[in-house]
Amino acid sequence: MSDIGEDDRVRTKTDDVGADVYSEDGSIRSDFITSVAAAIADRDVVFLRQHVARLHESELGDLLEAIAPDQRLALVRLLGKDFDLTALTEVDESIRLEIVDQMSNAQIAEAIGDLDSDDAVYILEDLDQEDREEILAQLPFTERVRLRRALDYPESSAGRRMQTEFVAAPPFWTVGQTIDYLRDEKDLPERFTQIFVIDPTFKLVGVLDLDQILRSKRQVKIETIMRETSYPVPADMDQEEAAQLFEQYDLLSAAVVDENGRLVGVLTIDDVVDVIQEEAEEDIMRLGGVGDEELSDSVLETSRSRVPWLLVNLLTAFLAASVIGLFDATIEQIVALAVLMPIVAGMGGNAASQTMTVTVRALATRNIDIHNAWRIIRRETGVGLLNGVLFGILIGVVAGLWFEDVNIGGIIATAMLINMIAAAIAGIMIPLLLDKVGADPAVASTVFVTTVTDVTGFFSFLGLATWWFAIH
Amino acid sequence: MSDIGEDDRVRTKTDDVGADVYSEDGSIRSDFITSVAAAIADRDVVFLRQHVARLHESELGDLLEAIAPDQRLALVRLLGKDFDLTALTEVDESIRLEIVDQMSNAQIAEAIGDLDSDDAVYILEDLDQEDREEILAQLPFTERVRLRRALDYPESSAGRRMQTEFVAAPPFWTVGQTIDYLRDEKDLPERFTQIFVIDPTFKLVGVLDLDQILRSKRQVKIETIMRETSYPVPADMDQEEAAQLFEQYDLLSAAVVDENGRLVGVLTIDDVVDVIQEEAEEDIMRLGGVGDEELSDSVLETSRSRVPWLLVNLLTAFLAASVIGLFDATIEQIVALAVLMPIVAGMGGNAASQTMTVTVRALATRNIDIHNAWRIIRRETGVGLLNGVLFGILIGVVAGLWFEDVNIGGIIATAMLINMIAAAIAGIMIPLLLDKVGADPAVASTVFVTTVTDVTGFFSFLGLATWWFAIH
């Protein structure tokens, strides 16, 4: 995912395809899609080589997503060797698999040889064991060993995301020796921003930013200008944890080391940006009750992935309904209660979702911890109390006037206050507890929290009314 | 926010403070906080200089957030010149202002002189006009001009986030000349990853990655190895748009140019990572009905910021209640309807929030556009239909058995189907329309969508029941 410096991608101002591909709103231009579609239909390989093969991988990815599904494979076939497989790291998983499944293992092996190791791993990890082994078997020895090592690390680990190509030098080299090496060596990574300093056993001893080399005189020894790396990333560290290191210390790249402290790869910021995006995405989706679905999923796939969440919600809805059922005699006498009760439950739900959202995000970004948890719990309870009084009075007045009954006004005001406090406590405590027991607070919080506010809302309102009208 | 290479931050393995500061769960270690607090109380400047002054800016920021509010100022005062003002870019706005407000303008001016321009702007932009001018007046001429230029660009623009320190060279220089310049020049930025190639009028003509320089022989001319920059960022471009460029093309840094194409600064990936975080954060918060609040806000501030959203929801809750009110005669006869109606409305709300979440995120990441919008609308409607049939049958059977009435089962099943389809259509169309008219879909979608599902749910269920029992 990092081949900007590649020669065939260099553009001149008079021949800038990139700027032409997108329309104002950021989508691929319609007329470009039309001409590509026409060229595919006409098997116009010259046009495709000229206008499509030279696109940046992410532009090509967007194009693949924009054209009709049956054109995708045709495009890949027509481009042949000119198709940049890296574009597949930029499309939805279902599109990637659709294309890869139709390519022969020999074709994939040939194309994968040109990729950075992190991109190659990204494509290989989705394939089934057998295909993967067949493809690996066709790669040169060093590459095969490197890719296999990355694939051996657990999914979503730093080892999976790392690039195994890097530049390393021994500590006793001088700046001049290092520059001469870089000038002569033909097999350098396409792009690098750091040089790692290692001992003869590949143990990481330091790191050198390129600007540090450029500032120093030729005779300066590397070990005198290198930094000790305070943040080497263990290969089995979760990618999310590694991303947090990058964010906290503004890293551009970090050495990835195995359990013996030996350098095995480098994790770069561009991959970390993707991880940060994915993690934030995941939280939004989970809070909204959506799993790992993609825009290209079919109706059936989407429906199936959303059913579990709806089922859980159905159960809690029946629970809330059965609470209402306890008071059916009261409702029969005073229908106004049925009219008003969703307001109490709904407002509690809204207040709780505010508190819950703040809590889930604070947990995800590690902004909440033992030092401030109690302060925030106190604050949220205070907010619940304050807004409960405010909205209790407001609703009490409106409902009292609507049904011309001061009793109903007083009852709904009290129930609202109770439910707003319950909402605040549930909104903060449930995510905290889920996090404490090791569950993902974003997944399960919404269900639990709305159950609390529904049940409390209905029970307090209908219960209060039953009690009040029984004694009066 | 990018001074990792600074000499005073270099750490050796035997003296590594960083690894000691955090406990397992990622929060600052309690015993470290206790010793710092004790040192502040004892005015033990030696301890603070030794253990606090040398922390990384983000560690110092976390420490400031973790200690008691009254200790923050004391810590800043005790550290004096050793306090790294950059740490203030890592804390909540309210804490930043609290500290800055207590410092004299002269103190701030002195401290700000040491910062990167982007960090300086970050702190200056929050101050009021008068203080800012007084501080700027005390800075050296070039720095004042640079900071003022950045502050002149609109808030959240690339010009505000850019760093005005950069390295530039003319196209006719050789690699050797460039390296010699870098070795001799004392006033280089602390850290840089690119060299910009400019003409005598400061017009940007190209860019050179440092690895490109290191690979090339001394006599090679810069213009032969530089890349044309396809992605210069106009200074008034919104930071979010700039962030998308970084993401799409995996940029590490980008030239920022004024309206005449002249180089004015450089935008770096570490600032962009913060922008990406903030934008995703914003979407989550807005979907949850929370505004720009911070964890350090007081009860009153928090309560006030959440009231508008609750008020809007209250209005729509009354709207839904008045729909129920239309059918009070029916409910009086059949109380089961009151018990079951929240299920229909609630399930619709859940299904809608799934669709809405997917749509809002797809809009934010530009994954939805004119090419696939219709396909996705069709898909969501299909999912609504499918899940409507599924859950309609499920609820119909359970409700029918519960109240031993096949009519109620049939009515709730039909109402559920109607509401699930309405939920799907509202969940996708409302965010799309809001986006079309230029509103932020994350802010307003939830209210509109749940209004639709509440009203449709109550109206279809109670309306169907009224009609059915009237004709039977």
Side-chain angles (χ1 to χ4, degrees):
Chain A
M1 314 184 189
S2 48
D3 46 5
I4 290 163
E6 241 182 305
D7 281 339
D8 59 340
R9 295 278 154 61
V10 170
R11 292 178 192 153
T12 62
K13 273 188 180 149
T14 49
D15 186 26
D16 190 342
V17 185
D20 287 330
V21 173
Y22 293 101
S23 64
E24 278 285 298
D25 69 346
S27 63
I28 300 267
R29 270 176 44 210
S30 298
D31 56 340
F32 183 64
I33 296 184
T34 316
S35 11
V36 171
I40 294 173
D42 297 346
R43 311 183 60 80
D44 183 350
V45 179
V46 177
F47 178 92
L48 294 177
R49 280 218 188 105
Q50 197 170 355
H51 293 279
V52 177
R54 55 181 304 141
L55 291 179
H56 183 271
E57 63 208 44
S58 68
E59 295 165 346
L60 183 53
D62 286 342
L63 178 67
L64 281 173
E65 290 189 335
I67 60 179
D70 57 311
Q71 295 180 323
R72 286 176 196 142
L73 261 177
L75 175 62
V76 173
R77 291 210 173 116
L78 287 170
L79 282 176
K81 280 190 216 294
D82 289 328
F83 176 72
D84 179 5
L85 214 64
T86 322
L88 293 187
T89 63
E90 307 272 346
V91 300
D92 275 359
E93 189 183 345
S94 56
I95 297 180
R96 178 163 57 250
L97 286 178
E98 179 194 312
I99 293 176
V100 171
D101 281 349
Q102 293 295 320
M103 294 172 75
S104 72
N105 285 340
Q107 270 178 300
I108 299 176
E110 199 187 327
I112 253 176
D114 298 334
L115 300 189
D116 283 344
S117 65
D118 53 344
D119 294 334
V121 167
Y122 196 87
I123 290 171
L124 286 173
E125 66 183 357
D126 286 342
L127 300 179
D128 55 44
Q129 187 69 23
E130 204 185 323
D131 285 333
R132 198 195 294 166
E133 282 307 318
E134 210 182 304
I135 293 168
L136 283 173
Q138 298 179 40
L139 293 177
F141 176 76
T142 12
E143 224 176 309
R144 184 164 68 234
V145 171
R146 281 180 170 182
L147 291 179
R148 210 169 252 148
R149 181 159 59 186
L151 284 164
D152 274 347
Y153 289 112
E155 218 179 318
S156 304
S157 67
R160 274 286 177 95
R161 290 282 79 79
M162 74 184 178
Q163 205 171 311
T164 51
E165 300 93 359
F166 50 80
V167 181
F172 51 82
W173 273 14
T174 62
V175 165
Q177 269 176 297
T178 311
I179 293 182
D180 292 341
Y181 162 76
L182 294 172
R183 283 185 183 147
D184 295 334
E185 174 66 35
K186 289 285 155 276
D187 199 26
L188 291 174
E190 265 169 29
R191 188 195 199 189
F192 58 95
T193 59
Q194 290 186 320
I195 291 178
F196 296 105
V197 186
I198 53 174
D199 74 9
T201 65
F202 260 73
K203 275 233 175 61
L204 184 70
V205 290
V207 67
L208 207 53
D209 291 322
L210 297 190
D211 62 315
Q212 207 54 47
I213 300 183
L214 287 165
R215 288 170 208 257
S216 308
K217 307 271 181 218
R218 278 189 73 86
Q219 64 277 18
V220 172
K221 276 237 167 69
I222 277 187
E223 57 192 342
T224 63
I225 53 169
M226 74 182 188
R227 287 181 290 122
E228 303 266 346
T229 46
S230 311
Y231 324 105
V233 175
D236 54 3
M237 183 187 258
D238 187 78
Q239 57 177 2
E240 193 175 352
E241 223 176 304
Q244 268 161 352
L245 273 184
F246 271 73
E247 270 186 274
Q248 173 141 33
Y249 299 110
D250 292 328
L251 308 179
L252 290 181
S253 62
V256 180
V257 294
D258 68 9
E259 60 275 24
N260 300 315
R262 274 192 296 253
L263 185 65
V264 288
V266 51
L267 200 61
T268 52
I269 181 85
D270 55 325
D271 297 321
V272 170
V273 167
D274 295 340
V275 172
I276 293 173
Q277 270 291 24
E278 277 167 31
E279 298 295 341
E281 194 92 340
E282 231 175 67
D283 271 1
I284 299 184
M285 294 302 208
R286 285 176 178 173
L287 280 171
V290 195
D292 289 335
E293 63 174 66
E294 293 181 322
L295 278 184
S296 56
D297 286 352
S298 70
V299 170
L300 213 64
E301 287 165 336
T302 313
S303 166
R304 203 186 308 139
S305 84
R306 292 192 195 164
V307 162
W309 171 256
L310 291 174
L311 257 183
V312 175
N313 273 287
L314 183 62
L315 289 178
T316 71
F318 270 111
L319 180 66
S322 65
V323 171
I324 303 175
L326 296 176
F327 303 101
D328 53 357
T330 316
I331 295 175
E332 211 157 2
Q333 284 167 10
I334 312 154
V335 176
L337 299 179
V339 175
L340 292 172
M341 65 185 186
I343 301 183
V344 181
M347 288 296 288
N350 287 321
S353 96
Q354 293 181 324
T355 304
M356 184 187 69
T357 305
V358 173
T359 312
V360 167
R361 263 332 266 176
L363 283 168
T365 54
R366 298 190 174 188
N367 276 324
I368 202 166
D369 53 43
I370 45 163
H371 308 304
N372 60 6
W374 276 111
R375 199 182 61 72
I376 295 171
I377 293 171
R378 279 201 308 274
R379 183 189 77 163
E380 289 298 331
T381 316
V383 172
L385 188 72
L386 203 61
N387 285 352
V389 170
L390 185 70
F391 283 92
I393 294 174
L394 199 60
I395 289 172
V397 170
V398 175
L401 291 173
W402 184 1
F403 292 95
E404 291 169 359
D405 185 339
V406 69
N407 293 309
I408 288 199
I411 291 166
I412 199 172
T414 315
M416 180 64 92
L417 174 61
I418 295 174
N419 205 23
M420 291 293 256
I421 296 174
I425 296 174
I428 182 136
M429 292 309 290
I430 288 173
L432 285 181
L433 289 175
L434 285 170
D435 185 64
K436 196 87 187 168
V437 299
D440 180 346
V443 177
S445 290
T446 314
V447 177
F448 287 119
V449 169
T450 53
T451 307
V452 169
T453 54
D454 275 0
V455 168
T456 311
F458 292 134
F459 191 86
S460 62
F461 181 52
L462 298 175
L464 269 174
T466 306
W467 167 76
W468 182 260
F469 289 113
I471 61 166
H472 284 87
Chain B
M1 312 180 191
S2 48
D3 46 5
I4 289 162
E6 242 182 304
D7 280 339
D8 59 339
R9 296 277 153 63
V10 171
R11 291 178 193 154
T12 61
K13 276 188 180 149
T14 50
D15 186 25
D16 192 343
V17 184
D20 287 330
V21 173
Y22 293 100
S23 64
E24 278 286 298
D25 70 344
S27 63
I28 301 266
R29 270 178 42 212
S30 297
D31 57 340
F32 183 65
I33 296 185
T34 315
S35 14
V36 171
I40 294 173
D42 298 346
R43 312 182 60 82
D44 182 350
V45 180
V46 177
F47 178 92
L48 294 176
R49 280 219 188 104
Q50 198 170 353
H51 293 279
V52 177
R54 55 180 305 142
L55 291 180
H56 184 272
E57 62 208 43
S58 68
E59 295 165 347
L60 183 53
D62 286 343
L63 178 67
L64 280 173
E65 289 188 336
I67 60 179
D70 57 311
Q71 295 179 321
R72 288 176 195 141
L73 261 176
L75 175 62
V76 173
R77 291 213 172 113
L78 287 170
L79 281 177
K81 278 190 218 297
D82 289 328
F83 176 71
D84 179 5
L85 214 62
T86 323
L88 294 186
T89 64
E90 309 272 346
V91 300
D92 276 359
E93 189 183 346
S94 55
I95 297 179
R96 178 161 59 249
L97 287 177
E98 178 194 312
I99 293 175
V100 172
D101 281 350
Q102 294 294 320
M103 293 173 74
S104 73
N105 286 339
Q107 271 178 302
I108 299 175
E110 198 186 327
I112 251 175
D114 298 332
L115 300 190
D116 283 343
S117 66
D118 53 344
D119 293 336
V121 167
Y122 196 89
I123 290 170
L124 286 173
E125 66 182 359
D126 285 341
L127 300 179
D128 57 43
Q129 187 69 24
E130 204 183 323
D131 285 332
R132 195 195 297 166
E133 282 308 317
E134 210 181 303
I135 294 167
L136 283 172
Q138 297 179 41
L139 293 177
F141 177 75
T142 14
E143 222 176 309
R144 185 163 68 232
V145 171
R146 282 178 167 184
L147 290 179
R148 213 171 248 146
R149 183 160 58 184
L151 284 164
D152 274 348
Y153 288 111
E155 218 178 318
S156 304
S157 68
R160 272 287 177 93
R161 291 282 79 80
M162 73 186 178
Q163 205 172 312
T164 51
E165 299 92 359
F166 50 81
V167 179
F172 52 81
W173 273 14
T174 62
V175 165
Q177 270 176 299
T178 311
I179 293 182
D180 292 342
Y181 162 76
L182 294 173
R183 283 185 181 146
D184 294 336
E185 175 66 36
K186 288 284 154 278
D187 200 23
L188 292 175
E190 264 169 30
R191 185 195 201 191
F192 58 95
T193 60
Q194 290 186 319
I195 291 179
F196 295 105
V197 186
I198 53 174
D199 74 8
T201 65
F202 261 72
K203 274 228 175 60
L204 183 70
V205 290
V207 68
L208 208 53
D209 290 324
L210 298 190
D211 62 317
Q212 208 54 48
I213 301 182
L214 287 166
R215 289 171 207 258
S216 307
K217 306 271 181 216
R218 276 188 74 87
Q219 63 277 17
V220 173
K221 276 236 166 74
I222 277 187
E223 56 192 342
T224 63
I225 52 168
M226 74 182 185
R227 285 181 291 123
E228 303 266 349
T229 45
S230 310
Y231 325 104
V233 175
D236 53 4
M237 183 186 258
D238 187 78
Q239 58 178 4
E240 194 175 350
E241 226 176 303
Q244 268 160 354
L245 274 183
F246 271 73
E247 269 185 274
Q248 173 140 34
Y249 299 110
D250 292 329
L251 308 179
L252 290 181
S253 62
V256 180
V257 294
D258 67 9
E259 61 275 23
N260 301 315
R262 275 192 296 254
L263 185 65
V264 289
V266 52
L267 200 61
T268 51
I269 181 81
D270 54 322
D271 297 321
V272 170
V273 167
D274 295 339
V275 172
I276 293 172
Q277 269 291 23
E278 279 168 30
E279 299 294 340
E281 194 91 340
E282 231 176 66
D283 271 1
I284 299 183
M285 293 304 208
R286 286 176 178 171
L287 280 171
V290 194
D292 290 334
E293 63 174 67
E294 294 179 321
L295 277 184
S296 55
D297 287 352
S298 69
V299 170
L300 213 64
E301 288 164 337
T302 314
S303 165
R304 204 186 305 138
S305 82
R306 293 192 195 164
V307 162
W309 171 256
L310 291 173
L311 256 183
V312 175
N313 274 286
L314 183 61
L315 290 177
T316 72
F318 269 111
L319 180 66
S322 65
V323 170
I324 303 174
L326 296 175
F327 304 100
D328 52 357
T330 316
I331 295 175
E332 211 158 2
Q333 282 167 12
I334 312 152
V335 175
L337 299 178
V339 174
L340 292 173
M341 65 184 187
I343 302 182
V344 182
M347 288 297 287
N350 288 322
S353 95
Q354 292 180 324
T355 305
M356 184 186 71
T357 305
V358 173
T359 312
V360 167
R361 262 333 265 175
L363 282 168
T365 54
R366 298 192 175 188
N367 277 323
I368 201 167
D369 53 44
I370 44 162
H371 309 304
N372 60 5
W374 277 112
R375 198 182 62 71
I376 294 170
I377 292 171
R378 279 200 309 274
R379 182 190 77 162
E380 288 299 331
T381 317
V383 172
L385 188 73
L386 203 62
N387 285 351
V389 169
L390 185 71
F391 283 93
I393 293 173
L394 198 60
I395 288 172
V397 170
V398 176
L401 290 174
W402 186 359
F403 292 97
E404 292 167 1
D405 186 341
V406 69
N407 293 308
I408 288 199
I411 291 166
I412 200 171
T414 316
M416 179 64 91
L417 174 61
I418 295 174
N419 205 25
M420 290 293 257
I421 296 174
I425 296 175
I428 181 137
M429 293 308 291
I430 288 174
L432 284 181
L433 290 176
L434 286 171
D435 184 64
K436 195 87 187 167
V437 300
D440 180 345
V443 177
S445 291
T446 314
V447 176
F448 286 118
V449 169
T450 52
T451 306
V452 169
T453 53
D454 275 359
V455 168
T456 311
F458 292 134
F459 190 86
S460 61
F461 182 54
L462 298 175
L464 269 174
T466 305
W467 167 76
W468 181 261
F469 289 114
I471 61 167
H472 283 85

